[in-house]
Amino acid sequence: YIHLKEATVEGSGLETVIPTELPLVQEVTTTLREWATIWRDLYVGDKREMFTCVRDMIYDLIEWRSQILSGTLPQDELTELKQKVTSKIDYGNKYLDLDLVVRDKDGNILDPQLTSTISLFTAHEAASKQIEDRIQEEKVIDPFASTPAFALFVTLKNVVCKIGEDAEVLMSLYDPVESKFISENYLVKWSSSGLVKDIDQLHNLRAVFTDLGSEDLKREKISFVCQIVRVGRMELRDNNTKKLTSGLRRPFGVAVMDITDIITGKLDDEDKQHFIPFQPVAGENDFLQTVINKVITAKEVNHKGQGLWVTMKLLPGDIHQIRKDFPHLVDRSTAVARKMGFPEIIMPGDVRNDIYVTLVQGDFDKGSKTTPKNVEVTMSIYDEDGKKLENAIFPGAGDEGISEYKSVIYYQVKQPRWFETIKVAIPIEDVNRSHLRFTFRHRSSQDSKDKSEKIFALCFVKLMRYDGTTLRDGEHDLIVYKAEPKKLEDSSLYLNVPATKLELEEKGYSAISKSTQNLGNCTISKDSFQISTLVCSTKLTQNVDLLGLLKWRSNTSLLQQNLRQLMKVEGGEVVKFLQDTLDALFNIMMENSDSDTFDTLVFDALVFIIGLIADRKFQHFNPVLETYIRKHFSATLAYTKLTKVLKNYVDNAEKLTDQLLKALKALEYIFKFIVRSRVLFNQYILLPLMTDQLKFHLEKQEELKACCQLLSDILEVLYRKDVGPTQWHVQVIMEKLLRTVNRTVISMGRESPHIVSLFVASMTAILRQMDDYHYFIFNTFTLLQDFLMETFIMFKDLIGKNVYPSDWVIMNMMQNKVFLRAISQYAAVLNKKFLDQTNFELQLWNNYFHLAVAFLTQESLQLENFSSDKRAKIFHKYQDMRRQIGFEIRDMWYNLGPHKIKFIPEMVGPILEMTLVPEIELRKATIPIFFDMMQCEFHFTCSFQRFENEIITKLDHEVEGGRGDEQYKVLFQKILLEHCRKHKYLAKTGENFVTLVVRLLERLLDYRTIMHDENKENRMSCTVNVLNFYKEIDREEMYIRYLYKLCDLHKECDNYTEAAYTLLLHAKLLKWSDEQCAAHLTQRDGYQATTQGQLKDQLYQQIINYFDKGKMWEEAIILGKELAEQYENEMFDFEQLSASLRKQAQFYENIVKVIRPKPDYFAVGYYGMGFPTFLRNKMFIYRGKEYERREDFEARLLTQFPNAEKMKTTTPPNEDTKCSPGQYLQCFTVKPILELPAKFQNKPVSEQIVSFYTVNEVHKFQYSRPVRKGEKDPDNEFANMWIERTTYTTAYKLPGILRWFEVKSVSTVSMREACVSSRHPNQMRICSLAQSCADAGVPLSGLTTGHHSLKLAFFNDKYMQEHPEDLEKIEKLKDLIAWQIPHLAEGVRIHGEKVTEALRPFHDRMEACFKQLREKVEKQYGVKTLVRTFTCLRPLCYMKYNLVLSVVIFRRYLKSMTRQKKRKRP
């Protein structure tokens, strides 16, 4: 499937195709491709949890990408979706350890070329924190522990109540201990049909109760209360609805649920539906508040199946966080019911202007009526002109604003108690002109009477007090006024009279008597009415002192008092009006610019506010303060006054200690105000002052965080394009602060990573903003050498121990770019100032080279290690910085001239490290430096031995560390050979050196390739190749290093014998002397030795221990004797001698008594080009493990090489097989050839002693295979059947430092000699059989070849005439045949003694056959007598041996007789 996409093409020749789709879509596409590769790897690696997580993220991105491409989303939804996409990408990258992406506020990726260093650093910090916060949120088991706010999410599933009329369902949170509501209502209007009135809300009745905090968690109990208010007739039992008044709000009942466990997190099941039982009012004059308290105290409710069904879930965070984290629960349609009161921590940007009014209670005289009135309270809001404010009253969340609120009506109740809370939301500019008006009316159940009922009383209260503050929180006892209804509607007639009884008393009126009083056109009634109010506003203050400051222009005479009083205002009130307060302070300062009367007071007030922000309770206002400074602060001359006051405090520190201390704590933001003001006005005056102050504090290591923040702010300002020329400013900073900042970075540890990284960012910003002019001036620095030395050390430290996280790729690359330019500039200074003979500084140049190489080889620049997309992005933006710095290193080296010799051999390692970087042009440019070093050393010493030693040592470490490849080997050989061959004196020695290094590289590359292979045998082979090479070139240190690598591998495989032989090679390098140990001889911490003799002693002890574990007691005894000799005659350590001799005694006993399994030996050939070079087309002899059969050994080999094909023949392969690309494996069993030590030869030695040498200390092995010469003789199958015996000789004896060795020579024995020599193995096998007491089931078919067949083949006149040279061998063969008879006779005898009666006929038959055989053989070949002096055989074994032979003879003879009879048949 191919989809064509629109794109633009840029450039000619090398074209760049740029899709025209949105950048975000392109980013998603690239991200999906990158993640898909990782996703596949997770599947292959069976990492299921990560696989599932990545899959879900990929599916989300695919879905969101489709939505963006559809082009159908509204702008607000598109913006929100973009935010979700970028958040998901950033989170996924962090989860997968990919690079951090930094963005601007719109979610676009920041371009580092167009972004200042400080902004880039800040963006990285913000992005990291955002992602880490999200990760922590997902990790935290209790998400509420990390957030100061939480919310209760409620879904109303159903209301099951027999109401019969429309109803209002009001849900809220309630504190039963304090008997008060703590949240707004969530209002749902229910229809008489039993469904929600707004059918669009069906199945979507959701609300979230927000702003809950830790104080709410501490409440003893919290209840979820639902009040049901019926909306209809006065009494339900009235049926004549046409004549009845409708639309009356009447109490119906309540439902209450204890949700303490849900709020405290003990119960958390969002899917569980909770049933809240319904309790109807006892009578229609029963107060809802009373019913609530009754239900709370009651043990159970007789609900009769009526109630509410709800689900609940506690959510962490404020409303913004909840909408972000739980979009599936809380969306735009979800009602938000806020807490009545501010949350514990006021979040930035939480602008709020709510006034909560609660109708508490009243007391109304029945007047002319015979029964108490049915009082309905109507609340509305009017301005001072009598105009009603529309839609400013909110009876509950989820409902729209209304203009009038009507209370519940309690039937014929003189003292109704409502406790109904309504929210009033008025535009801030209308508050001071508005008042609440409450009117009272009697409601009749009959419609006709109800229409005639007029307002009988009025109450009001102004929202703003006479002193300009907002209406106080708490209860207000309002005065109830009576007048003609029309007069009550005229606000001008009542606004001038007191609204509350408190106000009445404050104005000097006497307390209200039982009789009424007239105030103007209104009469004060004996009735009473109470409300309570709560103001939750970030714009309306109830504090007179704060108000006095905010409105300072209205009375400037009180300004000093207001400024002093500000510092006594409660912090919560101040931060609610932060911007207004700061505006007021700076306006006071600026409007009195010609006077310093208020400067100190304003400064102290500013310090007070900054101190508040530092408090944990208000720490979330830090961003608000930052935003204010950046966007709203506009006092251009504030810096002069702030600086003046600060300077005064510093100058008079002894007198003004407290003020100065407070100012220093607020110094960060004071300086930010100063800097911002300076940007807005006079930059030239302030900068030197600030840099001097910064230098002073930094050198004393004081207020580092504040200093760094100020410096970064200054640099950020200077980066902007709208501040005019900045060259002079950067020069001032460079001259005064660059070295100080460098020293600060050097002196700081990594204990405060944020401060260190900010300092490094500031230092990088200074270097980035320096131009060529600044570097030119830099040459004139005093103490230039010290500065460069410090800088080189600091740069190298920062490159090696980066202060930024590894995923801050953009920040790291930007820093590298800046460092590269600085290093180049500093290199020019080195050439200019420190190169001539007089001023040459070896250490300075040395530091430069080490820094440059460290820069070039740092991990973040190794492009080949990155994905293709990442590599392309970095190369497009920064090129390959390694090439630039590498060429510069080359030039700097050649500039050294006669000083080069001072850097040999110390610089060989760093230059080698550089040349190993896999960038071909860099390699071509820098490898010739090696020839220059050779030439230089040769010029001074007539050799280049130091260079050669160093490069071999360093090459080993570098290649083992992962550097170097086949391309490097080829380039190294080609380039250096070309140079050497052109040199008069280095042609021969140089070529030898290059050949040596190339050979070493081949082995090291093989070793590295196989080093992490699971097959330890391959690793052992490569290790031996390397150590043999080092032995060959006499590099003892490296040789020993690899000996221990090999020893460790053997110990991992329990190859203790081989580990012992390996360690023995180290011991052989040492002498029994008091000569001091060289450092390379003691490469293991476990050996505590100062002399070679001590070390050799410790090594021998370890080797003997390994030989003991490997049951190689003969070898252990040899070393034990050598040790004993030293203990007895050299060291005179008789205690150690005693221990050594006891060990030897034990070893001797083990040799005689302990049965040791004999391993088999296998020849293995690896043919074909598919095998590694160290195996390819070679044959090895392997020593099998104990009891390991050939089949098991073959299976083990094929497991290591699953693609190899097993060869079916044992003949050597042809050239086609060897040159084929495949893998062909040949394996067969071979027999070791005994090489008995001279001391045992021709002596009666116990078989237990001799048997050791049959499979140990062997290096020759035989394999025999039958071959036919000429046509098959039908009368004698053996006439042209020959045995071809091949002898394989290994490079070393087995066992040794490996369990296998390569075959170095192969010889094939003449076929004529084979038959004669085959008699010897038969005799050996007989002896072996007897010695081991083997069971009779061992196949012995090869024990003897029928002498009759041999007679036909060899013992005839024709053969003897044709082969006179074989006569001696034929006689020997006859003699061997004759010697078999006495052995067989002894076996038959023993068989007769042991045979059971059941097998007696078999034995008799066997005796008869053997008799015939014996007669024939003795007649033809002579009689041999067996002398019974078998010192090598124990009696039991001897009997078994004869017994087995008897059986074999019988079987053989029967087969022979049968064949002869068949041939005689016609």
Side-chain angles (χ1 to χ4, degrees), residues 1271-1277 1279-1280 1463:
E1271 300 248 345
K1272 181 177 180 181
D1273 186 344
D1275 295 326
N1276 183 4
E1277 62 181 306
N1280 56 1
R1463 281 198 292 270

Side-chain angles (χ1 to χ4, degrees), residues 54-263:
V54 175
R55 179 197 62 195
D56 294 343
M57 291 192 292
I58 286 176
Y59 286 174
D60 286 343
L61 286 184
I62 292 173
E63 173 62 26
W64 295 340
R65 180 178 181 274
S66 300
Q67 292 178 26
I68 295 172
L69 285 172
S70 69
T72 59
L73 294 175
Q75 188 58 43
D76 59 337
E77 289 188 25
L78 179 61
T79 303
E80 187 176 339
L81 183 58
K82 284 181 178 179
Q83 178 63 36
K84 285 170 64 178
V85 168
T86 55
S87 177
K88 182 71 73 176
I89 290 174
D90 295 345
Y91 173 77
N93 284 340
K94 183 70 176 178
Y95 184 73
L96 295 172
D97 286 331
L98 299 175
D99 299 336
L100 178 70
V101 179
V102 286
R103 309 176 186 278
D104 59 20
K105 63 181 187 304
D106 298 321
N108 302 314
I109 297 176
L110 280 177
D111 185 348
Q113 310 277 21
L114 306 176
T115 311
S116 73
T117 306
I118 302 301
S119 295
L120 199 62
F121 172 79
T122 307
H124 275 85
E125 270 202 325
S128 291
K129 186 176 186 306
Q130 185 178 358
I131 296 168
E132 282 299 329
D133 287 348
R134 178 171 174 186
I135 291 172
Q136 290 305 317
E137 286 169 14
E138 298 196 1
K139 285 182 179 177
V140 173
I141 299 173
D142 179 13
F144 303 98
S146 61
T147 179
F150 57 94
L152 181 68
F153 174 74
V154 177
T155 304
L156 178 62
K157 295 294 186 181
N158 199 5
V159 179
V160 183
C161 281
K162 298 176 183 177
I163 302 175
E165 290 185 308
D166 289 352
E168 293 176 355
V169 181
L170 296 118
M171 290 158 278
S172 56
L173 303 182
Y174 184 79
D175 186 331
V177 177
E178 298 181 8
S179 295
K180 71 173 186 179
F181 291 98
I182 58 177
S183 76
E184 298 176 0
N185 289 317
Y186 166 45
L187 171 60
V188 175
K189 293 184 177 179
W190 208 258
S191 70
S192 57
S193 61
L195 294 172
V196 63
K197 203 162 189 178
D198 182 358
I199 202 66
D200 291 337
Q201 291 186 319
L202 190 65
H203 306 306
N204 193 31
L205 297 171
R206 299 181 297 176
V208 58
F209 294 85
T210 64
D211 301 328
L212 303 174
S214 60
E215 291 300 321
D216 298 301
L217 285 175
K218 295 174 184 176
R219 292 181 190 270
E220 189 177 333
K221 284 185 176 297
I222 295 185
S223 297
F224 181 75
V225 171
C226 173
Q227 302 176 76
I228 299 180
V229 175
R230 173 171 68 78
V231 182
R233 300 166 302 214
M234 184 69 76
E235 296 186 71
L236 272 173
R237 59 178 179 269
D238 294 340
N239 294 322
N240 190 0
T241 55
K242 290 184 180 180
K243 295 182 179 180
L244 300 176
T245 307
S246 62
L248 304 176
R249 299 181 73 241
R250 298 281 282 127
F252 188 73
V254 301
V256 181
M257 174 183 172
D258 186 346
I259 59 169
T260 309
D261 286 348
I262 296 175
I263 292 293

Side-chain angles (χ1 to χ4, degrees), residues 13 220 240 347 351 363 374 531 681 935 1000 1022 1086 1111 1182:
E220 189 177 333
N240 190 0
M347 301 304 291
V351 178
D363 189 344
N374 307 326
I531 65 168
F681 192 67
Q935 191 174 232
L1000 174 60
C1022 284
K1111 299 179 181 177
Y1182 281 77

Side-chain angles (χ1 to χ4, degrees), residues 664-706:
L664 287 175
K665 289 181 179 179
L667 196 61
E668 177 184 349
Y669 283 105
I670 292 292
F671 274 142
K672 285 186 177 182
F673 280 114
I674 292 173
V675 171
R676 180 62 182 161
S677 175
R678 167 242 180 269
V679 171
L680 298 169
F681 192 67
N682 192 338
Q683 47 191 344
Y684 286 95
I685 297 173
L686 185 59
L687 185 62
L689 173 65
M690 287 195 296
T691 52
D692 287 341
Q693 287 294 319
L694 283 170
K695 185 179 178 69
F696 174 78
H697 287 293
L698 288 175
E699 287 178 346
K700 289 197 168 188
Q701 296 280 302
E702 296 173 346
E703 299 293 340
L704 291 178
K705 184 177 180 182

Side-chain angles (χ1 to χ4, degrees), residues 698-910:
L698 288 175
E699 287 178 346
K700 289 197 168 188
Q701 296 280 302
E702 296 173 346
E703 299 293 340
L704 291 178
K705 184 177 180 182
C707 290
C708 188
Q709 191 64 55
L710 173 60
L711 176 59
S712 63
D713 289 341
I714 295 171
L715 292 165
E716 179 73 357
V717 169
L718 293 177
Y719 186 83
R720 286 169 42 184
K721 306 303 180 188
D722 58 350
V723 295
T726 59
Q727 190 179 71
W728 176 82
H729 308 87
V730 175
Q731 181 182 338
V732 170
I733 293 173
M734 178 195 75
E735 292 175 345
K736 293 190 176 182
L737 291 179
L738 180 56
R739 188 176 184 192
T740 304
V741 171
N742 287 357
R743 287 184 159 189
T744 305
V745 172
I746 292 169
S747 65
M748 293 180 74
R750 298 292 194 266
E751 294 79 18
S752 304
H754 170 74
I755 300 178
V756 177
S757 55
L758 186 54
F759 264 112
V760 173
S762 299
M763 180 265 293
T764 307
I766 296 173
L767 293 171
R768 186 182 181 189
Q769 289 167 236
M770 287 167 58
D771 55 25
D772 292 340
Y773 168 76
H774 295 121
Y775 279 107
F776 176 76
I777 295 175
F778 161 83
N779 277 322
T780 64
F781 269 28
T782 56
L783 301 176
L784 181 59
Q785 180 184 333
D786 293 344
F787 172 81
L788 287 174
M789 195 79 78
E790 291 168 0
T791 303
F792 291 164
I793 293 170
M794 177 190 66
F795 276 14
K796 188 172 184 293
D797 182 61
L798 290 175
I799 290 167
K801 301 174 185 174
N802 206 328
V803 295
Y804 307 125
S806 58
D807 60 348
W808 287 26
V809 173
I810 297 175
M811 193 71 195
N812 282 321
M813 292 306 295
M814 190 274 296
Q815 176 181 283
N816 282 332
K817 186 177 180 181
V818 173
F819 279 15
L820 177 60
R821 177 169 172 263
I823 293 169
S824 299
Q825 295 283 357
Y826 295 152
V829 176
L830 280 181
N831 284 326
K832 185 175 181 180
K833 296 274 189 179
F834 301 102
L835 186 57
D836 61 79
Q837 199 67 37
T838 308
N839 298 311
F840 185 77
E841 289 293 337
L842 176 63
Q843 190 58 49
L844 187 61
W845 277 85
N846 198 52
N847 285 359
Y848 164 79
F849 281 122
H850 280 86
L851 163 63
V853 172
F855 180 89
L856 187 148
T857 55
Q858 63 176 296
E859 188 178 345
S860 59
L861 293 186
Q862 309 315 308
L863 303 182
E864 62 281 348
N865 296 336
F866 304 147
S867 66
S868 56
D869 284 340
K870 180 177 177 179
R871 186 162 57 245
K873 286 178 187 175
I874 292 176
F875 189 81
H876 175 72
K877 198 169 288 291
Y878 303 101
Q879 299 300 304
D880 192 340
M881 288 187 266
R882 298 175 299 179
R883 186 185 295 188
Q884 181 180 339
I885 190 71
F887 287 7
E888 190 170 282
I889 293 170
R890 177 198 62 185
D891 296 341
M892 293 291 281
W893 170 262
Y894 289 127
N895 287 345
L896 283 171
H899 301 297
K900 291 175 187 173
I901 191 65
K902 299 172 184 175
F903 295 90
I904 300 172
E906 287 76 13
M907 276 305 298
V908 172

Side-chain angles (χ1 to χ4, degrees), residues 352-617:
R352 191 172 177 186
N353 193 37
D354 300 329
I355 302 174
Y356 294 97
V357 181
T358 303
L359 311 182
V360 181
Q361 61 186 5
D363 189 344
F364 301 95
D365 185 64
K366 64 182 179 181
S368 60
K369 298 185 180 297
T370 57
T371 58
K373 296 173 181 176
N374 307 326
V375 178
E376 178 187 70
V377 183
T378 302
M379 188 186 91
S380 51
I381 308 169
Y382 285 82
D383 63 16
E384 57 192 11
D385 298 327
K387 180 183 176 183
K388 183 187 290 186
L389 274 63
E390 302 292 336
N391 304 323
I393 301 173
F394 295 85
D399 195 23
E400 295 178 349
I402 57 178
S403 302
E404 283 188 348
Y405 175 76
K406 297 183 182 297
S407 71
V408 170
I409 302 166
Y410 291 102
Y411 190 68
Q412 296 181 353
V413 175
K414 181 178 184 296
Q415 296 176 329
R417 298 174 62 200
W418 292 281
F419 291 98
E420 297 175 44
T421 301
I422 316 100
K423 182 169 75 175
V424 173
I426 305 173
I428 189 66
E429 62 272 13
D430 294 335
V431 173
N432 63 333
R433 302 178 64 249
S434 303
H435 64 277
L436 304 178
R437 185 164 85 174
F438 305 92
T439 58
F440 307 96
R441 181 183 172 201
H442 168 73
R443 300 302 302 266
S444 174
S445 59
Q446 298 295 320
D447 188 47
S448 57
K449 290 184 180 180
D450 188 68
K451 289 179 180 177
S452 63
E453 295 290 344
K454 303 296 182 184
I455 296 171
F456 68 82
L458 170 143
C459 291
F460 77 95
V461 66
K462 294 178 181 178
L463 295 178
M464 196 75 79
R465 300 181 70 210
Y466 66 91
D467 57 7
T469 59
T470 312
L471 185 66
R472 293 278 191 274
D473 293 344
E475 287 199 0
H476 305 277
D477 199 348
L478 303 186
I479 299 173
V480 181
Y481 289 99
K482 290 193 175 182
E484 293 179 10
K486 287 186 178 181
K487 289 183 179 181
L488 292 176
E489 293 176 1
D490 187 355
S491 59
S492 62
L493 297 178
Y494 62 77
L495 278 180
N496 293 323
V497 298
T500 66
K501 293 183 179 179
L502 179 62
E503 192 179 333
L504 188 70
E505 293 175 2
E506 288 175 350
K507 290 190 177 183
Y509 293 96
S510 59
I512 299 174
S513 61
K514 291 186 179 179
S515 62
T516 59
Q517 294 186 28
N518 291 327
L519 287 176
N521 295 308
C522 299
T523 303
I524 299 176
S525 168
K526 293 185 293 184
D527 296 344
S528 66
F529 179 62
Q530 286 86 38
I531 65 168
S532 69
T533 59
L534 176 66
V535 177
C536 293
S537 173
T538 56
K539 293 295 181 182
L540 302 173
T541 179
Q542 297 170 337
N543 187 282
V544 177
D545 296 324
L546 183 57
L547 184 68
L549 179 66
L550 295 176
K551 297 188 176 182
W552 63 275
R553 289 187 182 89
S554 61
N555 193 347
T556 55
S557 62
L558 298 174
L559 191 49
Q560 291 193 23
Q561 178 185 336
N562 289 334
L563 284 168
R564 291 191 182 95
Q565 290 299 115
L566 172 66
M567 288 174 272
K568 299 178 181 178
V569 176
E570 194 272 326
E573 194 71 10
V574 175
V575 294
K576 285 191 290 185
F577 305 95
L578 184 61
Q579 182 174 336
D580 296 336
T581 306
L582 290 171
D583 282 343
L585 289 175
F586 287 110
N587 286 335
I588 293 168
M589 184 176 278
M590 290 301 96
E591 291 183 25
N592 295 276
S593 58
D594 55 347
S595 167
D596 58 2
T597 308
F598 305 108
D599 291 356
T600 303
L601 285 171
V602 170
F603 186 93
D604 290 345
L606 190 59
V607 168
F608 166 73
I609 292 173
I610 293 170
L612 281 179
I613 302 301
D615 189 285
R616 182 190 176 279
K617 184 176 182 181

Side-chain angles (χ1 to χ4, degrees), residues 41-56:
D41 294 339
L42 293 173
Y43 177 79
V44 172
D46 197 27
K47 297 178 180 177
R48 302 193 179 194
E49 185 178 346
M50 283 188 73
F51 173 83
T52 304
C53 183
V54 175
R55 179 197 62 195
D56 294 343

